[in-house]
Amino acid sequence: MTLGLFIPCYVDQLYPQVGRAAHSLLCQLGHEVVVPARPACCGQPMSNSGYASLSEGCVADFRAEFDRFERIVSPSGSCVLHLKESLEAAHHPLAHRVHELCEFLHDIEKVTSLPARFPHKVGLHSSCHGLRGLGLGRCSECLAPEFSKPAKLLSLVEGLELVTLERPDECCGFGGTFSVFEPDVSVSMGRDRIRDHAGHGAEFITSADMSCLMHLGGLLAREAPQVKAVHIAEILAGCVAEQRG
Amino acid sequence: MSHAANAHDFLRDPARAAWHDQTLWMVRVKRDRQAAKVPDWEALREAASQIKEHTLSRLAEYLEEFESRAAANGIQVHWAADGEEHNRIVHGILARHGVRKLVKSKSMLTEECHLNRHLEEHGIEVIDTDLGERIVQLQRKPPSHIVMPAIHLKRAEVGEVFHEHLGTPRGLDDAQELTEAARQHLRRQFLTADAALTGVNFAVAETGGFVVCTNEGNADMGAHLAPVHIACMGIEKIIPKQEHLGVFLRLLARSATGQPSTVFSSHFYKPRPGQEMHIVLVDNGRSRQLGREDYRRSLACIRCAACFNTCPVYRRSGGYSYSYFIAGPIGSILAPNVDKAAHGDMPFASTLCGSCSAVCPVKIDIHTQLLKWRQEITAEGHAPWWKTLAMRVTGLVLKRPALYALAGRLARHFLPLVNLLKLDPWTRSRALPEAPGQSFREWLAETERAKPPAKNPPP
Ligand code: SF4
């Protein structure tokens, strides 16, 4: 099918390799992938900071450009959650056609194999918006059977070993503009996360949300450069080696 | 001081902050273990949530039912519109009995109303008898946590407090010895008190009775010894039926401390012969919150503090970093109802991770309410001007593709410099990624130019 691919602003500008990986992965699965020029952002930075009215333009742009697609995919759980919630609040049916990448691969595409190989120890960071917001997995507060769509997809990657974490789904402390308005708490939370991952032998930290990885990766670069942050799309598309060596 | 500034101070001692985080995380872990032992825990949460929702929709009816049943049982019922009236009522009762010393079991409501200060001004000695609360009272500090008021203190610090105020030997650091000292001290207070005041965890409309949960039995010691028992409750503490207690008591202790039940769940129905029993029903802003559609569910709270223990921000900033007497996630949605300007930073002291809502035994959508308060606080002009400016500019740039592309190129150009200078709150501790030469959109445009035109144009 023809998919609309939504690449959010910060991924577009700072992590083009994540956009390329998502694009390549969806193409490999036989889809035609279209990236409309216009909406650069989902509007979440404004909305989370208390300026929801300023984010309405972004959501309107999104609606205008993406309404023509049967399915829209984005490699950013947080942005997808914000779009879904905004569209749902407006009772717009598009809300149900926007998918986070893992959700699309797991629920719609139902992939059972992937042509990727990644012989490394990997820590999965379950981003809060993906986990508790989009329901990509079961959160640890909830007394329901355990599942995780991203983990299931990663299990299809040859050679990849997921490490067990002490706090499997504690927030990394990014929180959008929280990361700059509350830098001390934000950094303290991030440090605890990377310690958990590195302490359990992870060589890579991956997530379905690049925003968490921007924060964690920023800390890793300063404090534990032997561990790298990579987006799950890069691993699933088999693009990491090509990008990061 | 803002939450961010207080948190900055709290985190100056990373070892202590890590200890605080780990101590409260262990409570969360204990909660998980206990919750897992209850079959259908999630169904129990749902039931609790629905009972509360229903009760809030008919609050007035249930309160009146409670009032008439309690009165028929011989309890004197009082209504207080605000904290001041509550304090006046309590003082009036105490003054009538010539009370000089009041023993008080844990009641966050009396913190809310600043009752201690009021009574002390009238020459009445108030002794908090919950151990944790007594410790912070001796320090003349408020509780830092609604269930474990002195959780921020280490044992040796408690030893210091006891040395100073109770005359124990200097350097006492043994749990057994400290508890014994507290026990002897509190026993004297119970025996010499003229009246007892307790909080209320649940008041049952159908019976006119109420339940007080403690782990130390201090509410019972006070209430059973003193000739006057005053129970103070916020009007949201009401539940319709006795059978509903089975739902809430199973949730409360497990969520709060990871115990299967509190050590004491004491049911009070009527005064014993010769005793006077009073109950004060306090509004103090609750009916205003009830009228706010977006936030009314915050009144379902049973004050278990599970949202505190799970909150990664609370654990790393401590109770005193919040400007309201109830800290943490629930405090952050209650405080703006009282004063948006004074507590305007509290809803921002969250990453909106949603762990609070997921752990809450009565399923309050805490993080959604935090986000809603942010909009209201900003719209009413309680945000700094530079934040508003920054957000307006961001909104403007993101709406205009050409401007956005230009801003992106510029940002990538200056990124290495920003990374080097480490002047802003981000790069002080975190690197920014290495600037890519090309944005994704630039790459895509280039790739598509190189491709032969597609046979089927996109729909
Ligand atoms: S909001 Fe929920 S989790 Fe927090 S104290 Fe109240 S009942 Fe407990």
Side-chain angles (χ1 to χ4, degrees):
Chain A
M1 78 182 102
T2 304
L3 298 174
L5 176 63
F6 174 63
I7 299 296
C9 47
Y10 72 103
V11 174
D12 179 38
Q13 293 296 336
L14 299 176
Y15 303 98
Q17 73 275 17
V18 175
R20 290 202 296 271
H23 188 271
S24 132
L25 185 58
L26 295 170
C27 290
Q28 281 175 49
L29 291 168
H31 298 290
E32 171 139 23
V33 181
V34 178
V35 183
R38 207 168 155 74
C41 175
C42 66
Q44 178 162 229
M46 285 80 85
S47 164
N48 271 11
S49 309
Y51 299 83
S53 55
L54 293 176
S55 79
E56 279 158 17
C58 295
V59 181
D61 276 357
F62 183 86
R63 236 163 36 186
E65 291 284 349
F66 280 98
D67 206 16
R68 60 195 165 109
F69 298 99
E70 195 184 328
R71 302 268 176 208
I72 299 114
V73 180
S74 178
S76 176
S78 194
C79 305
V80 169
L81 180 66
H82 184 258
L83 287 167
K84 268 186 188 287
E85 284 179 344
S86 309
L87 293 164
E88 256 163 35
H91 305 290
H92 198 288
L94 189 53
H96 310 289
R97 308 203 315 262
V98 190
H99 303 280
E100 184 281 324
L101 179 69
C102 295
E103 177 184 273
F104 176 78
L105 296 174
H106 186 278
D107 297 353
I108 311 287
E109 193 71 22
K110 299 190 169 56
V111 297
T112 50
S113 70
L114 282 165
R117 198 180 112 80
F118 196 61
H120 295 285
K121 285 187 148 191
V122 174
L124 172 62
H125 171 67
S126 298
S127 85
C128 302
H129 285 175
L131 183 73
R132 300 189 188 86
L134 295 174
L136 294 184
R138 187 215 62 167
C139 59
S140 60
E141 297 86 12
C142 179
L143 277 294
E146 158 76 31
F147 77 99
S148 162
K149 295 174 192 180
K152 199 157 160 218
L153 292 169
L154 288 169
S155 74
L156 302 176
V157 176
E158 192 193 328
L160 185 145
E161 186 190 332
L162 270 185
V163 302
T164 308
L165 300 170
E166 198 173 313
R167 300 186 189 180
D169 56 14
E170 183 161 82
C171 176
C172 69
F174 172 66
T177 49
F178 178 88
S179 61
V180 287
F181 295 127
E182 287 260 11
D184 299 282
V185 179
S186 172
V187 165
S188 161
M189 286 166 68
R191 282 202 179 114
D192 287 354
R193 288 291 79 232
I194 63 175
R195 215 171 286 138
D196 197 355
H197 284 269
H200 287 90
E203 301 161 68
F204 292 85
I205 300 178
T206 194
S207 172
D209 236 311
M210 201 59 224
S211 51
C212 306
L213 292 178
M214 176 161 72
H215 168 66
L216 292 174
L219 280 168
L220 286 172
R222 294 268 174 88
E223 299 180 9
Q226 75 283 6
V227 183
K228 304 275 182 229
V230 290
H231 191 273
I232 195 164
E234 298 177 81
I235 296 181
L236 299 180
C239 294
V240 184
E242 169 211 326
Q243 308 293 340
R244 307 272 163 101
Chain B
M1 263 198 346
S2 69
H3 179 271
N6 289 327
H8 174 80
D9 285 349
F10 185 85
L11 288 163
R12 275 212 181 120
D13 185 346
R16 189 184 180 94
W19 166 80
H20 188 266
D21 165 69
Q22 189 60 26
T23 305
L24 287 156
W25 177 255
M26 284 323 293
V27 183
R28 161 69 211 275
V29 170
K30 277 165 71 185
R31 171 265 177 205
D32 292 352
R33 279 194 211 123
Q34 278 301 333
K37 287 187 193 161
V38 177
D40 301 326
W41 175 261
E42 297 301 332
L44 204 59
R45 284 176 73 224
E46 182 55 34
S49 162
Q50 287 186 16
I51 294 168
K52 282 286 183 180
E53 182 94 353
H54 166 82
T55 313
L56 288 173
S57 73
R58 292 166 188 224
L59 194 56
E61 284 169 42
Y62 286 121
L63 284 167
E64 281 171 3
E65 185 184 349
F66 175 78
E67 179 189 32
S68 66
R69 293 284 148 79
N73 295 343
I75 303 178
Q76 301 181 39
V77 183
H78 311 260
W79 297 86
D82 54 24
E84 222 173 280
E85 190 175 5
H86 161 266
N87 292 350
R88 250 196 336 268
I89 292 168
V90 173
H91 176 247
I93 301 168
L94 298 178
R96 225 172 337 103
H97 289 272
V99 169
R100 308 294 303 274
K101 185 191 279 191
L102 173 74
V103 283
K104 196 164 135 264
S105 80
K106 206 150 103 272
S107 146
M108 289 309 288
L109 179 67
T110 56
E111 286 288 335
E112 176 181 334
C113 302
H114 304 292
L115 177 71
N116 287 19
R117 201 172 60 204
H118 181 85
L119 294 180
E120 280 160 12
E121 278 165 15
H122 285 85
I124 295 171
E125 189 186 1
V126 182
I127 308 287
D128 278 309
T129 59
D130 172 88
L131 177 52
E133 203 165 25
R134 182 66 181 145
I135 295 165
V136 291
Q137 188 192 25
L138 290 172
Q139 289 188 313
R140 307 218 55 89
K141 289 258 177 66
S144 74
H145 184 285
I146 57 173
V147 169
M148 298 169 283
I151 193 70
H152 61 291
L153 294 175
K154 296 195 175 192
R155 222 172 29 233
E157 290 166 313
V158 175
E160 277 304 300
V161 176
F162 281 11
H163 171 67
E164 192 184 324
H165 296 277
L166 307 184
T168 55
R170 184 173 278 276
L172 210 57
D173 187 17
D174 176 79
Q176 179 78 36
E177 285 176 287
L178 287 169
T179 323
E180 187 55 30
R183 188 189 295 273
Q184 295 307 331
H185 161 69
L186 288 172
R187 180 151 304 172
R188 279 194 300 278
Q189 309 300 332
F190 285 124
L191 288 170
T192 53
D194 311 303
L197 188 146
T198 67
V200 169
N201 289 91
F202 305 99
V204 184
E206 113 184 306
T207 66
F210 59 93
V211 178
V212 184
C213 303
T214 72
N215 271 332
E216 297 161 19
N218 54 315
D220 309 80
M221 284 285 265
H224 295 327
L225 283 169
V228 183
H229 175 188
I230 307 171
C232 301
M233 61 177 263
I235 51 173
E236 81 284 18
K237 290 278 181 263
I238 202 94
I239 56 173
K241 288 174 187 286
Q242 182 79 3
E243 68 187 36
H244 296 152
L245 279 172
V247 174
F248 291 104
L249 290 175
R250 291 176 81 200
L251 287 167
L252 177 63
R254 290 183 172 90
S255 298
T257 49
Q259 294 166 278
S261 96
T262 41
V263 179
F264 298 85
S265 301
S266 308
H267 300 242
F268 295 91
Y269 289 100
K270 54 181 172 206
R272 63 174 188 274
Q275 190 200 32
E276 235 179 61
M277 193 180 274
H278 297 263
I279 188 144
V280 189
L281 297 159
V282 186
D283 183 329
N284 204 30
R286 286 164 177 77
S287 40
R288 185 174 59 235
Q289 185 91 326
L290 191 66
R292 298 187 203 260
E293 188 52 38
D294 286 341
Y295 311 109
R296 64 197 299 264
R297 291 207 24 78
S298 64
L299 293 171
C301 175
I302 58 171
R303 301 287 193 271
C304 72
C307 59
F308 285 56
N309 306 336
T310 203
C311 178
V313 176
Y314 174 84
R315 277 188 266 113
R316 289 174 186 81
S317 59
Y320 295 151
S321 64
Y322 299 79
S323 55
Y324 194 51
F325 80 106
I326 298 182
I330 180 66
S332 303
I333 58 175
L334 293 175
N337 175 51
V338 176
D339 187 339
K340 275 188 230 120
H343 308 299
D345 62 332
M346 281 179 69
F348 292 89
S350 162
T351 60
L352 304 180
C353 74
S355 183
C356 47
S357 309
V359 86
C360 175
V362 287
K363 298 178 94 166
I364 302 174
D365 54 338
I366 306 172
H367 72 294
T368 318
Q369 295 190 29
L370 288 169
L371 184 58
K372 286 181 179 157
W373 274 124
R374 289 184 185 185
Q375 314 307 329
E376 235 173 271
I377 285 161
T378 307
E380 290 186 18
H382 302 303
W385 63 268
W386 44 268
K387 193 171 171 187
T388 308
L389 183 70
M391 285 300 146
R392 280 193 196 289
V393 172
T394 311
L396 205 77
V397 171
L398 290 172
K399 274 280 293 167
R400 288 167 182 69
L403 197 58
Y404 162 76
L406 178 70
R409 265 201 300 281
L410 279 174
R412 275 181 280 131
H413 183 75
F414 286 110
L415 199 137
L417 183 68
V418 177
N419 237 343
L420 201 69
L421 292 175
K422 302 184 189 168
L423 288 176
D424 61 286
W426 180 278
T427 51
R428 256 202 306 271
S429 323
R430 293 157 288 205
L432 281 164
E434 276 168 35
Q438 222 179 13
S439 74
F440 171 76
R441 281 185 164 83
E442 286 167 355
W443 167 82
L444 191 69
E446 197 181 282
T447 319
E448 284 182 348
R449 264 199 307 277
K451 255 195 334 208
K455 272 181 250 98
N456 304 318

